Amino acid sequence: MARRGDLQGRAAMTEETNEDQSSYSRQEMMVVAASRALVDGQVCFVGIGAPSTAANLARRTHAPNLVLVYESGCIGAKPTRLPLSIGDGELAETADSVVSVPEIFNYWLQAGRIDVGFLGAAQIDRFANLNTTVIGPYEHPKVRLPGAGGAPEIAASCKEVLVMIKMNKTTFVDPLDFRTSIGFGDGAGSREALGLRGRGPTMVITDLGLLRPDPVSCELVLTDLHPGVSLEEVREMAGWRLRISETLSRTVAPTEAELTALRALESAGSVKK
Amino acid sequence: MAQLMELDQAVSELIHAGDTVAMEGFTHLIPHAAAQETIRQGIGDLVLARLTPDLLSDQMIGAGCVAKLIFSWGGNPGVGSLHRFRDAIENGWPRPMEIEEHSHAGLTNRYVAGASSLPFAILRGYAGTSLLGKTANIKSVECPFTGEQLAAVPALNPDVAVVHAQQADSAGNVHIWGITGVQKEAILSSRRSLVTVEEIVDHIDLRPGGIVIPSWVVTAFVHAPGGAHPSYAAGYSERDNQYYSDWEAISRSREGFKQWLDEVIYKGERR
């Protein structure tokens, strides 16, 4: 099994890479960084949107044996184009096995068979709890979001969780308007007290950098800055006083191979094969 | 034994105002034709149960058919918001709508308990989430063997389940393949069931991964080719992605939606 981080290649802050940052977008940097976080051979429960793009990119680059599981019951899906919904026909046609919805949640997710869950959200807090339900009060929401879907149990039961979210003042908030899915709850010890079996979030991948939970307090710490992003910019975006790692690293810019694979994947997205 | 009916007859005989109706189909085989016929007949005050309220629910909610929605994810997959769903929750239009909100795992297990004729189901779920305080139908139970705390959700036993399938034979045995979702549990948990199918065949050739639901648990079956449109029926049709994109503009305003309702549902051809 390949080790995570083969491509993570943290360059030291002092060795600023000379990559041309106009050759890729921050969105692309986020997707590439997320794909690098997946390890070949892992079993990954994938949500639709950016997590699905990242997981499929990983399968086309460093993790060809990544097992993609979609909540529609598709286990081992190998889509040739990006699905628009978690139940596209392509997912079922290319899957090793297609099971019912009760089975995917009870026998596969709840039973702890999934290595890594991949989630997005509208809001995240300092302990990586996620909101996909409402902005504003639940009874009188300012914005009603889609809700939980599979996320609460993905967050609880996968061995670990990766979160993908763009970083700005509306997404990095404390407190959340609603806790749809648990990260580390109120901090150290929360997951254990609730009897959750998975380790919880191990990395939060954003368009500006990467965050990881502090091993003791479980609070998110900025550990990596993407190329061309300043520390001030990141600090300004967080709705709380963001902790910065003392050994802050610089993410390696997307390689030509990664960008080519990503763009091929996205341009094939709407084309029926 | 299942009875073969026309769509309008099946809807009027099986779905009544005030019923709890499960309309299932997890991104695949969504029973749109039956839902639109329900709107056309003006059957209201419904408690609609659906894991993924998508366009089907948006249309029924906007038309004022839904008094309460039991759900776990409400969006337009791959596109964005459901505007009629949001308008009902945010502004109470066209009528106030009560919601009972779950996770997929929780609502799925409500059906599993219902199909099993058990009072409730248990799962490892909801721990540490705000849903616990907002949805009365989520409680905690202690395992009598280990003492572990688990989530409990009550059985869901709808008055009627509505699903779409690829095939039925002439006796009304129902054949579904591809993504089978929670349709079997929806049918088995409900008092009555209405199944629309793409094709009525002489003999069922079971497909890999396919399931057969015996005719004696089906109340009515209807020949409704294309009845899942704009979703799809594996082996018969492709998902109409353009329709999902177009729905964004149609549903964004109340006026746009009312115009669609008038032209497509009340006056026009089934779409």
Side-chain angles (χ1 to χ4, degrees):
Chain A
M1 212 184 254
R3 266 179 54 77
R4 168 178 297 168
D6 282 358
L7 287 161
Q8 201 78 35
R10 298 180 172 198
M13 283 291 282
T14 46
E15 299 167 34
E16 193 76 41
T17 46
N18 288 323
E19 312 282 344
D20 176 8
Q21 282 142 28
S22 62
S23 67
Y24 60 89
S25 67
R26 284 181 168 180
Q27 170 76 18
E28 287 176 322
M29 179 72 254
M30 175 166 78
V31 173
V32 166
S35 80
R36 290 172 182 169
L38 294 165
V39 177
D40 198 22
Q42 275 184 324
V43 179
C44 181
F45 207 103
V46 193
I48 218 65
S52 176
T53 308
N56 279 288
L57 176 61
R59 275 195 69 242
R60 277 163 180 72
T61 51
H62 67 284
N65 303 306
L66 192 67
V67 179
L68 304 186
V69 178
Y70 288 82
E71 66 190 12
S72 54
C74 300
I75 297 175
K78 294 166 272 294
T80 58
R81 59 191 163 81
L82 288 176
L84 280 173
S85 85
I86 42 87
D88 274 22
E90 170 97 353
L91 297 175
E93 287 159 21
T94 61
D96 297 324
S97 180
V98 182
V99 301
S100 71
V101 168
E103 185 174 333
I104 199 77
F105 284 107
N106 288 349
Y107 295 179
W108 297 86
L109 178 61
Q110 177 175 256
R113 292 179 214 280
I114 310 291
D115 293 319
V116 50
F118 219 142
L119 295 173
Q123 291 182 334
I124 186 168
D125 69 13
R126 70 172 71 205
F127 292 115
N129 302 299
L130 305 176
N131 174 16
T132 55
T133 303
V134 282
I135 306 297
Y138 185 73
E139 287 74 15
H140 305 284
K142 225 180 290 171
V143 181
R144 174 64 226 200
L145 301 166
E153 286 76 27
I154 292 172
S157 292
C158 289
K159 288 174 191 159
E160 64 176 301
V161 173
L162 300 172
V163 180
M164 262 179 107
I165 184 168
K166 283 191 182 174
M167 190 169 187
N168 58 57
K169 284 177 175 165
T170 60
T171 57
F172 274 62
V173 300
D174 208 13
L176 296 179
D177 291 338
F178 194 92
R179 189 191 286 171
T180 314
S181 303
I182 189 165
F184 292 100
D186 302 323
S190 273
R191 289 187 69 91
E192 292 76 7
L194 290 165
L196 303 178
R197 295 175 154 195
R199 285 161 60 198
T202 49
M203 197 191 294
V204 176
I205 299 126
T206 80
D207 52 338
L208 303 182
L210 308 178
L211 301 97
R212 292 177 172 84
D214 179 275
V216 178
S217 71
C218 299
E219 182 172 337
L220 288 175
V221 179
L222 180 76
T223 57
D224 300 70
L225 270 178
H226 295 332
V229 178
S230 73
L231 198 50
E232 290 64 41
E233 189 179 350
V234 174
R235 275 207 177 103
E236 195 167 311
M237 292 302 176
W240 64 90
R241 199 160 164 268
L242 189 68
R243 287 192 50 197
I244 314 294
S245 167
E246 286 168 12
T247 55
L248 188 64
S249 299
R250 197 55 95 166
T251 320
V252 170
T255 64
E256 275 310 307
E258 286 168 328
L259 283 177
T260 304
L262 173 58
R263 287 168 187 171
L265 193 58
E266 289 189 319
S267 66
S270 53
V271 182
K272 194 76 195 158
K273 293 265 170 74
Chain B
M1 265 307 251
Q3 246 192 304
L4 180 63
M5 294 187 191
E6 291 297 320
L7 184 59
D8 52 357
Q9 181 199 0
V11 166
S12 75
E13 288 196 13
L14 270 68
I15 307 175
H16 311 132
D19 275 356
T20 296
V21 184
M23 291 194 172
E24 288 296 352
F26 201 78
T27 69
H28 174 218
L29 298 171
I30 298 171
H32 273 280
Q36 294 190 356
E37 181 60 29
T38 307
I39 299 173
R40 198 174 287 118
Q41 293 189 18
I43 304 171
D45 287 327
L46 298 173
V47 177
L48 177 63
R50 177 158 172 73
L51 289 172
T52 55
D54 41 28
L55 272 51
L56 176 149
S57 319
D58 216 33
Q59 294 173 357
M60 291 186 69
I61 292 166
C65 299
V66 184
K68 178 180 175 181
L69 182 69
I70 304 174
F71 77 106
S72 42
W73 189 89
N76 182 345
V79 178
S81 277
L82 279 185
H83 297 292
R84 297 300 98 223
F85 159 87
R86 282 185 55 181
D87 202 10
I89 295 177
E90 293 169 15
N91 310 306
W93 191 92
R95 56 173 294 166
M97 181 175 76
E98 195 186 334
I99 58 172
E100 177 185 326
E101 185 164 5
H102 287 273
S103 65
H104 282 342
L107 183 48
T108 295
N109 278 294
R110 288 204 63 194
Y111 282 120
V112 170
S116 312
S117 194
L118 285 168
F120 67 95
I122 54 166
L123 69 152
R124 288 205 174 83
Y126 298 111
T129 75
S130 308
L131 282 167
L132 274 168
K134 299 296 180 189
T135 302
N137 268 342
I138 306 167
K139 294 201 188 302
S140 175
V141 67
E142 185 185 294
C143 170
F145 303 102
T146 64
E148 185 179 355
Q149 289 295 317
L150 298 160
V153 288
L156 181 59
N157 290 109
D159 295 299
V160 55
V162 180
V163 307
H164 187 74
Q166 283 102 334
Q167 297 177 345
D169 65 14
S170 54
N173 295 297
V174 173
H175 184 198
I176 304 179
W177 68 87
I179 292 167
T180 56
V182 73
Q183 282 95 312
K184 186 199 274 185
E185 289 74 16
I187 288 176
L188 294 179
S189 63
S190 298
R191 290 171 190 87
R192 302 183 294 278
S193 58
L194 192 172
V195 183
T196 56
V197 298
E198 290 289 326
E199 188 180 4
I200 295 179
V201 295
D202 294 332
H203 175 75
I204 289 174
D205 286 315
L206 191 62
R207 301 285 182 113
I211 57 171
V212 172
I213 299 173
S215 69
W216 53 272
V217 294
V218 175
T219 314
F221 67 114
V222 172
H223 186 212
H229 180 264
S231 78
Y232 71 105
Y236 288 87
S237 59
E238 301 276 353
R239 189 175 191 266
D240 185 353
N241 293 325
Q242 191 60 48
Y243 187 111
Y244 284 83
S245 306
D246 293 347
W247 186 252
E248 164 67 26
I250 292 169
S251 63
R252 185 168 271 280
S253 71
R254 293 173 184 174
E255 288 62 39
F257 173 77
K258 282 195 276 195
Q259 194 184 337
W260 173 86
L261 201 58
D262 205 40
E263 286 171 6
V264 178
I265 300 297
Y266 298 135
K267 284 192 208 145
E269 287 298 299
R270 232 162 252 152
R271 195 187 145 186

